[in-house]
Amino acid sequence: MITTTGEIPDVESGKEDSGNLFDPTMHPDHQFAPSGVLDLFAYPDDPAAWHGGVRGRQLPKTAGDSDEDFELAKQWLNDCLCGHDDCRKPNPRETRLPTRVLDIGPGDGSEEPYLLETNGMHGLYIALSHCWGGQVPLTTTSCTVLERKKSTPMSLLPQTFRDAVFISRKLGVRYLWIDSLCIIQDSKTDWEKESAVMGDVYGRSHLTIAARGAANAEIGCFIPRKEEPPACCLEYKNADGSIRGQMFVRNPAFEIERIDRSPLDERGWVLQERILSPRILYYGSQQLYWECTSATIRQDGKDRDVHNDGLRPGGFKEDWDPARVTKPKFATPEDEQLSEMSGVSVEALERTRHWYLIADHYTRRKLTFDSDRLPAIAGVAKEFHRKTSYAYVAGLWKEDLITGLLWYRSSAYSAHDAPTSSELPTWSWARFSGTISFWSYTGTALLYVLDTDCELLDISYDSTANLYNYGEISNARIQIKGRYRRIGYLSVNTHLGPDGRIAFADINPQVLTII
């Protein structure tokens, strides 16, 4: 017997409480049983699906390379391009190609790919999001760039690259951008130039192909599926027994792919690729996924990964895309009060909180090189600047700097850990490795207020390289006027006064210079 916790909610209504953990036992595909949470699925034409509301479906047996898989991918792409008003539509006459792309030739595969210097050409292109996985895939270097321009034959490409070419041809797109081939890897000048616009490369793409299940470039996009253990079949019927069908309980020993644990989704660079790409087709180890601003779709029929997406009533891109935040979505009951006290609009409070949420999530991901701490999120920062006109400084925003300084290292670390950069100032979270959290995002709302007794007087720094202030800065210093007290460690729970603020009233304001 299956015991549900109540009526199955309308997950499309967006009425879930985004401030609380989503109850998986209330999800239409995960019903509570005496022994735990059960994973349900039904066939789409069965009454259990169209009458009972069971959205789960059987996992596909094909690896994403069948005719049916490609028809589904084309359908998702066409639905987005033709039916989603909120999704950005690339125009081939207006879309400028990246500096270099792979020209993969016609869809019939009659021509070998080659590296094309675009010189300002326009057209549609697909971008690849993939894991290097500690192994250097095929690259373009100063010594091989001429050879790549003549021909980059399929036989030389690692499996993920070959699969990306195959997928692009099937979808009718001639140009493909792959980082290791389209950026000259041994040229610091070219890498700095291209990394500065990498966010735009993904943002202008027709589609991003994401090799979600591949830990490195040799594994490929089309991963053979593991057969599921037999499911337990249960009868479905309505209250009076007039409608009957079947639903299935997936074997608890069989774990559905966790997207938060996939090789791709653990990588730092991939976060901005995911946020900025207008639409993404994921090739996972068990199924295909689709993600755009208007829709999040899985082949298993579920709305989202209940393990880690329960906090968001919408899809990932709907909630995380900086271009999408036009009205408060994560607003709290205190926001109106905070707006009045600080003189900052509720929308501005929401936007900066949105940034802190992304930065917190970003620092939980892995980077091969610590020096990429700021470059790997520069594209998202640029998009925030376009929407707000705020000035970006080493991972923070000048207009919200007092609040932005209230960050802390939330992961275990040693006092002797070397900083990621000797140039970044001590007040920048990007100077340090590991997970960073912000008090303004984690719930201590009154710490978000810009206290009139604390004022930013001046900020100065020198920009470096082609990323300008979106990358490393040097000789940075800020001047702040306010009341201060020396403490060993600030604990939000134990060092606040009765009004929720740090007790500084008995201290005269002073000017501090912090480097």
Side-chain angles (χ1 to χ4, degrees):
M1 179 182 71
I2 296 179
T3 304
T4 68
T5 57
E7 292 294 325
I8 293 175
D10 179 5
V11 294
E12 296 178 353
S13 67
K15 295 180 180 179
E16 298 165 15
D17 183 0
S18 62
N20 297 318
L21 283 173
F22 184 75
D23 180 1
T25 69
M26 290 296 290
H27 194 282
D29 306 318
H30 292 74
Q31 298 302 318
F32 181 73
S35 60
V37 176
L38 299 182
D39 190 346
L40 303 181
F41 67 87
Y43 293 106
D45 57 351
D46 192 277
W50 56 261
H51 182 269
V54 177
R55 290 187 173 92
R57 299 291 178 263
Q58 187 178 34
L59 286 170
K61 297 181 179 179
T62 54
D65 55 350
S66 69
D67 290 340
E68 293 79 7
D69 290 322
F70 279 108
E71 286 304 313
L72 180 61
K74 291 177 183 177
Q75 177 187 325
W76 288 343
L77 177 59
N78 185 67
D79 288 347
C80 178
L81 294 173
C82 300
H84 295 168
D85 294 336
D86 292 330
C87 290
R88 290 167 282 176
K89 311 296 191 298
N91 185 326
R93 295 182 179 180
E94 298 177 358
T95 301
R96 184 167 180 167
L97 292 173
T99 304
R100 304 176 193 88
V101 292
L102 277 184
D103 185 335
I104 62 175
D108 60 6
S110 57
E111 298 178 10
E112 292 280 20
Y114 69 94
L115 188 65
L116 172 68
E117 295 273 0
T118 60
N119 297 315
M121 291 172 54
H122 292 74
L124 299 181
Y125 66 93
I126 285 176
L128 176 65
S129 178
H130 69 105
C131 276
W132 287 38
Q135 301 180 20
V136 179
L138 185 69
T139 62
T140 296
T141 66
S142 302
C143 296
T144 61
V145 63
L146 293 179
E147 178 185 347
R148 299 278 181 266
K149 290 180 181 179
K150 293 178 182 177
S151 177
T152 308
M154 292 284 282
S155 59
L156 288 182
L157 300 180
Q159 189 63 52
T160 299
F161 295 7
R162 290 201 297 271
D163 291 347
V165 170
F166 182 71
I167 295 166
S168 300
R169 286 172 172 171
K170 294 286 281 188
L171 297 179
V173 179
R174 180 161 186 145
Y175 302 118
L176 174 64
W177 187 89
I178 301 176
D179 54 357
S180 68
L181 292 177
C182 298
I183 300 175
I184 300 176
Q185 296 297 313
D186 62 346
S187 169
K188 181 180 179 181
T189 300
D190 194 66
W191 189 91
E192 288 180 345
K193 173 176 172 289
E194 294 303 312
S195 64
V197 297
M198 199 175 296
D200 294 328
V201 169
Y202 285 95
R204 295 197 306 261
S205 67
H206 181 63
L207 173 72
T208 292
I209 295 171
R212 171 167 271 169
N216 58 64
E218 297 297 336
I219 294 176
C221 295
F222 308 131
I223 299 175
R225 309 305 189 204
K226 294 181 180 179
E227 187 174 353
E228 285 193 65
C232 176
C233 179
L234 300 175
E235 181 184 16
Y236 170 83
K237 62 181 179 181
N238 65 343
D240 62 10
S242 61
I243 300 178
R244 294 174 179 266
Q246 292 180 327
M247 57 186 177
F248 298 85
V249 179
R250 184 167 276 116
N251 191 316
F254 184 81
E255 184 177 1
I256 297 293
E257 180 178 26
R258 291 279 299 271
I259 61 174
D260 59 328
R261 296 178 183 174
S262 76
L264 190 69
D265 291 273
E266 292 182 340
R267 305 305 303 174
W269 277 97
V270 171
L271 181 62
Q272 78 167 5
E273 297 166 10
R274 185 177 183 184
I275 290 175
L276 298 176
S277 297
R279 53 196 63 83
I280 310 175
L281 176 61
Y282 291 95
Y283 285 81
S285 62
Q286 294 178 340
Q287 59 182 309
L288 300 180
Y289 307 80
W290 175 267
E291 199 167 70
C292 62
T293 301
S294 303
T296 299
I297 311 172
R298 300 154 57 104
Q299 276 187 298
D300 64 5
K302 298 173 186 175
D303 294 281
R304 58 180 70 88
D305 185 341
V306 297
H307 293 289
N308 72 322
D309 282 3
L311 287 171
R312 298 190 294 275
F316 179 93
K317 288 193 62 56
E318 180 183 357
D319 290 339
W320 290 64
D321 188 346
R324 176 71 169 169
V325 182
T326 57
K327 60 182 180 179
K329 190 158 189 171
F330 298 105
T332 65
E334 296 85 5
D335 281 348
E336 290 290 346
Q337 178 186 1
L338 291 176
S339 178
E340 293 179 6
M341 296 173 67
S342 65
V344 180
S345 70
V346 174
E347 180 179 343
L349 290 172
E350 169 66 5
R351 282 199 175 279
T352 50
R353 185 185 293 122
H354 193 205
W355 171 259
Y356 300 134
L357 171 66
I358 288 178
D360 181 312
H361 182 81
Y362 166 69
T363 61
R364 299 172 190 273
R365 292 176 172 235
K366 301 173 184 176
L367 289 169
T368 302
F369 302 105
D370 287 338
S371 58
D372 289 347
R373 187 78 154 170
L374 286 174
I377 201 172
V380 182
K382 287 182 180 180
E383 191 63 36
F384 264 81
H385 169 71
R386 292 188 186 111
K387 298 298 292 186
T388 63
S389 297
Y390 286 2
Y392 185 71
V393 184
L396 300 171
W397 300 97
K398 180 180 177 181
E399 290 75 5
D400 195 49
L401 191 64
I402 301 298
T403 299
L405 292 175
L406 297 173
W407 56 263
Y408 60 96
R409 300 174 72 178
S410 55
S411 58
Y413 65 93
S414 167
H416 302 289
D417 285 349
T420 62
S421 166
S422 59
E423 296 291 334
L424 286 172
T426 58
W427 43 264
S428 169
W429 58 264
R431 180 183 172 92
F432 305 97
S433 59
T435 303
I436 303 296
S437 292
F438 298 82
W439 281 319
S440 60
Y441 160 61
T442 52
T444 309
L446 286 176
L447 285 176
Y448 203 92
V449 178
L450 303 179
D451 195 310
T452 54
D453 286 334
C454 189
E455 178 185 1
L456 176 66
L457 298 180
D458 185 47
I459 181 170
S460 62
Y461 58 90
D462 296 327
S463 300
T464 60
N466 287 303
L467 281 171
Y468 300 103
N469 55 312
Y470 292 99
E472 283 205 1
I473 60 175
S474 61
N475 302 318
R477 63 186 60 233
I478 56 176
Q479 249 189 3
I480 296 176
K481 181 180 180 180
R483 308 175 192 273
Y484 81 98
R485 172 176 291 165
R486 293 185 181 277
I487 56 176
Y489 174 74
L490 174 60
S491 169
V492 174
N493 295 322
T494 59
H495 290 81
L496 297 183
D499 61 349
R501 301 192 187 191
I502 305 171
F504 289 150
D506 58 333
I507 302 174
N508 293 324
Q510 299 187 41
V511 175
L512 303 177
T513 299
I514 309 174
I515 60 174

